[in-house]
């Protein structure tokens, strides 16, 4: 259980898909035991079963006994009640976008619930935006965040907290935490939920909030699906900006980089006009292939030279939102934000893009990788929360001592701090017990022949953290 939780907990980082466990069965059960209403919705053809036996990670492969296609929420309750009626209940694994990497949306000989089937049940009403008073959106758990964004923008509104990738299900990210560069200011996605509908392990459909059925509400948020299946969430909304100033600042010194990141997230009041709206960071390592395509072409040679000289370059990504009413002062606000920051002189790069283009920035990368056949490959990712007091040790021991030394192409390495005060300790999501902690994501993509090499490195990183 400890090792399962360690890897599952790591997925809080990106808000990935989840699994509900009942009790592991020793052998498959028979369809003849199931009520007729359920039997008609249980799919056992080999192609469908095969599709549900893997996930985005392409590392773990578990073969389910059947796929369940619910046509209503009550169907899920019936399935759970049937499982509970058996001498040995079967495992039930809800599957949204299956963007997990260690098999969390799978089950061996159990039933995978295809949550996307609920789109048909809702008849296009899966996202309902209420703009009067305190605005919110009632969203089906099977909906994906990019559709939530589009629906809320039609009303000039937006959720406040995001994940970096928007083609994830709402229930999936809320069952983890849902974090991105906005979390330092608005908290994770689980801190921006008013109410939930949950099908519990007893098969009951329960509406819960911080005031009603609060124990279930707090348990489910960040609970990795272990306390129930989220079928609806009421998401807090705020006014939507229209444009963003998107900056990248390059550092050759880790202490300066982390100190500036922590300074930026200290300006974190929700209504603080000088505060950044998004703070993240990533690394450029002197390992092939060095991808500088997101930087201006004329600057790529000098950036490459900087990486070669120092081995690792640390980059702060800094974003400030604006709209027509604040456009007049945006340049001044950006200047105030970067004033006194200790990045390498002349190595600041700026883009001006739409709000939607910024939030959905990863999708263009996805489309390119899909076109090259590089999306459906193994992803031996590792995601960690590191206490702020030890992040310098982590840089020396992991970034320099393991990743740079081994030279097996790190892929994307993301690092940024968050404020623990924006998290609610009543919720299931676990964070380091320090005021500031860092999200660290090593997002590898590799061939099937290299998976073990990356997994060995990941284990070495976990061992270092344990020993240190």
């Amino acid at each position: 259980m400890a090792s399962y939780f360690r890897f599952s907990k790591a997925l809080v980082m990106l808000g990935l898909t989840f699994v509900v466990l009942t009790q592991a069965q020793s052998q498959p059960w028979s369809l003849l035991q199931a009520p007729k209403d359920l039997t008609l919705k249980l799919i056992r053809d080999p192609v469908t079963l095969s599709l549900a036996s893997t996930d985005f990670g392409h590392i773990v492969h578990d073969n389910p006994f059947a796929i369940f296609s619910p046509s209503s929420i009550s169907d899920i309750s019936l399935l759970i009640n049937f499982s509970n009626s058996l001498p040995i209940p079967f495992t039930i694994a809800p599957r949204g976008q299956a963007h997990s990497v260690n098999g969390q949306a799978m089950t061996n000989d159990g039933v995978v619930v295809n949550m996307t089937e609920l789109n048909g049940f809702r008849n296009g009403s899966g996202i309902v935006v209420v703009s009067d008073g305190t605005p919110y959106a009632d969203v089906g758990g099977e909906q994906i965040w990019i559709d939530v964004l589009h629906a809320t923008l039609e009303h000039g509104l937006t959720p406040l907290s995001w994940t970096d990738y928007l083609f994830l299900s709402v229930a999936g990210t809320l069952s983890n935490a849902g974090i991105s560069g906005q979390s330092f200011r608005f908290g994770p996605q689980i801190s921006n939920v008013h109410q939930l509908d949950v099908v519990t392990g007893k098969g009951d459909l329960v509406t819960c909030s911080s005031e009603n059925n609060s124990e279930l509400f707090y348990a489910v948020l960040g609970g990795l699906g272990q306390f129930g299946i989220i079928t609806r969430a009421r998401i807090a909304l705020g006014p939507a900006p229209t444009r963003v100033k998107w900056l990248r600042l390059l550092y050759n010194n880790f202490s300066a980089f982390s100190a500036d990141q922590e300074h930026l997230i200290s300006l974190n009041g929700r209504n603080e006009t000088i505060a950044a709206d998004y703070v993240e960071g990533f690394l450029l390592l002197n390992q092939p292939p060095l991808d500088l395509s997101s930087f201006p072409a004329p600057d790529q040679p000098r950036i490459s030279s900087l990486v070669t000289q120092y081995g690792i370059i640390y980059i702060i990504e800094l974003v400030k939102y604006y709209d027509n009413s604040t456009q007049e002062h945006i340049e001044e606000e950006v200047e105030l934000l970067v004033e006194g920051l200790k990045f390498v002189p002349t190595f600041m790069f700026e883009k001006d893009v739409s709000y939607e283009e910024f939030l959905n920035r990863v999708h263009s990368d996805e489309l390119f990788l899909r076109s090259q056949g590089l999306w459906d490959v193994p992803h031996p990712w590792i995601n960690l929360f590191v206490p702020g007091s030890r992040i310098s040790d982590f840089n020396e021991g992991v970034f320099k001592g393991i990743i740079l030394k081994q030279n097996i192409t790190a892929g994307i390495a993301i690092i940024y701090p968050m404020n623990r005060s924006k998290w609610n300790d009543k919720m299931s999501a676990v964070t380091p017990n320090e005021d500031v902690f860092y999200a660290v994501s090593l997002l590898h993509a590799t061939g099937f022949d290299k998976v073990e090499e990356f997994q060995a490195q990941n284990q070495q990183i976990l061992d270092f953290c344990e020993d240190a």
Side-chain angles (χ1 to χ4, degrees):
M1 181 62 187
S3 62
Y4 166 77
F5 183 78
R6 176 162 59 180
F7 280 96
S8 298
K9 169 66 188 66
L11 296 180
V12 168
M13 295 288 311
L14 300 176
L16 306 178
T17 327
F18 57 100
V19 58
V20 168
L21 302 180
T22 53
Q23 178 181 339
Q25 67 286 358
S26 58
Q27 60 185 19
W29 44 277
S30 169
L31 279 178
L32 297 175
Q33 296 172 274
K36 185 178 179 182
D37 288 349
L38 291 181
T39 305
L40 296 173
K41 294 167 184 173
L42 288 165
I43 301 167
R44 295 211 65 217
D45 75 85
V47 173
T48 306
L49 292 176
S50 176
L51 289 173
S53 71
T54 190
D55 58 14
F56 181 71
H58 288 285
I59 297 169
V60 176
H61 301 278
D62 281 330
N63 295 313
F65 178 73
I67 312 300
F68 186 62
S69 297
S71 56
S72 68
I73 304 300
S74 60
D75 284 346
I76 299 174
S77 295
L78 287 173
L79 180 71
I80 294 173
N81 288 331
F82 169 57
S83 175
N84 289 336
S85 73
L86 297 174
I88 302 176
F90 52 81
T91 300
I92 297 172
R95 180 183 176 100
Q97 298 303 307
H99 208 269
S100 48
V101 296
N102 279 295
Q104 287 84 351
M106 296 180 220
T107 169
N108 185 41
D109 286 337
V111 174
V112 170
V113 181
N114 182 3
M115 298 295 287
T116 62
E117 289 292 316
L118 293 176
N119 276 314
F121 153 70
R122 298 188 194 276
N123 293 319
S125 62
I127 304 170
V128 177
V129 180
V130 176
S131 55
D132 298 334
T134 302
Y136 63 85
D138 272 332
V139 181
E142 76 287 346
Q143 301 295 314
I144 59 176
W145 284 103
I146 184 64
D147 293 335
V148 177
L149 175 63
H150 289 155
T152 57
L153 285 179
E154 289 180 8
H155 299 263
L157 298 167
T158 179
L160 302 172
S161 189
W162 295 96
T163 53
D164 284 334
Y165 179 61
L166 301 189
F167 287 75
L168 302 171
S169 69
V170 168
T173 70
L174 296 182
S175 294
N176 284 268
I179 67 167
S180 183
Q182 303 91 353
S183 299
F184 79 92
R185 187 168 181 183
F186 296 105
Q189 289 182 318
I190 57 174
S191 293
N192 292 274
V193 179
H194 295 313
Q195 190 183 83
L196 297 170
D197 284 348
V198 177
V199 181
T200 70
K202 293 182 178 180
D204 300 327
L205 177 61
V206 178
T207 298
C208 54
S209 66
S210 59
E211 290 81 30
N212 298 304
N213 299 306
S214 59
E215 188 175 8
L216 177 65
F217 178 74
Y218 289 127
V220 166
L221 292 171
L224 299 171
Q226 302 305 295
F227 301 95
I229 300 173
I230 297 171
T231 59
R232 179 187 64 89
R234 180 165 291 179
I235 307 297
L237 302 177
T242 55
R243 306 286 303 177
V244 310
K245 290 289 186 183
W246 183 4
L247 279 64
R248 290 180 173 183
L249 315 173
L250 275 60
Y251 291 74
N252 57 18
N253 179 282
F254 183 81
S255 295
F257 162 79
S258 59
D260 281 358
Q261 278 194 322
E262 292 185 27
H263 163 72
L264 288 166
I265 73 163
S266 70
L267 310 168
N268 63 10
R270 283 180 175 239
N271 300 313
E272 177 66 64
T273 56
I274 196 176
D277 292 294
Y278 168 102
V279 176
E280 281 200 16
F282 65 99
L283 310 185
L284 289 176
L285 292 107
N286 189 24
Q287 294 176 333
L290 180 60
D291 183 9
L292 300 176
S293 59
S294 61
F295 292 93
D299 293 295
Q300 291 176 16
R302 68 191 189 103
I303 296 173
S304 178
S305 176
L306 202 66
V307 175
T308 302
Q309 181 180 353
Y310 290 98
I312 303 180
I313 293 298
Y314 310 91
I315 300 172
I316 291 180
E317 277 198 297
L318 173 64
V319 164
K320 186 69 179 173
Y321 301 154
Y322 71 99
D323 54 30
N324 290 338
S325 65
T326 57
Q327 183 173 2
E328 183 180 349
H329 302 290
I330 185 62
E331 298 293 346
E332 179 185 347
E333 290 175 3
V334 168
E335 282 184 23
L336 286 172
L337 270 178
V338 302
E339 187 177 0
L341 299 184
K342 296 178 175 61
F343 56 93
V344 181
T346 76
F347 282 87
M348 180 176 83
F349 303 93
E350 181 181 320
K351 288 183 182 178
D352 191 302
V353 299
S354 72
Y355 178 62
E356 181 181 346
E357 184 181 353
F358 169 70
L359 289 181
N360 198 27
R361 62 199 176 279
V362 177
H363 187 50
S364 58
D365 295 332
E366 175 191 353
L367 294 176
F368 173 77
L369 291 170
R370 284 189 184 278
S371 72
Q372 302 295 309
L374 298 174
W375 185 258
D376 294 318
V377 299
H379 295 93
W381 288 4
I382 182 169
N383 299 283
L384 305 166
F385 286 165
V386 179
S389 66
R390 306 304 303 278
I391 197 64
S392 181
D393 298 326
F394 188 93
N395 173 62
E396 292 295 327
V398 175
F399 293 148
K400 292 182 178 179
I402 296 176
I403 296 173
L404 197 59
K405 248 180 205 178
Q406 291 185 2
N407 197 29
I408 60 171
T409 309
I412 299 171
I414 298 172
I415 172 172
Y416 60 95
M418 288 175 283
N419 293 302
R420 191 169 183 269
S421 62
K422 301 297 181 179
W423 296 65
N424 189 325
D425 282 342
K426 294 180 182 178
M427 297 177 182
S428 289
V430 181
T431 64
N433 189 23
E434 292 192 7
D435 293 339
V436 172
F437 63 92
Y438 282 74
V440 178
S441 299
L442 303 176
L443 309 183
H444 312 296
T446 187
F448 287 91
D449 58 331
K450 295 285 187 180
V451 170
E452 290 185 4
E453 191 174 359
F454 281 101
Q455 288 181 312
Q457 186 186 78
N458 288 347
Q459 187 58 52
Q460 190 177 349
I461 292 169
L462 291 173
D463 291 343
F464 170 84
C465 292
E466 183 107 7
D467 293 341

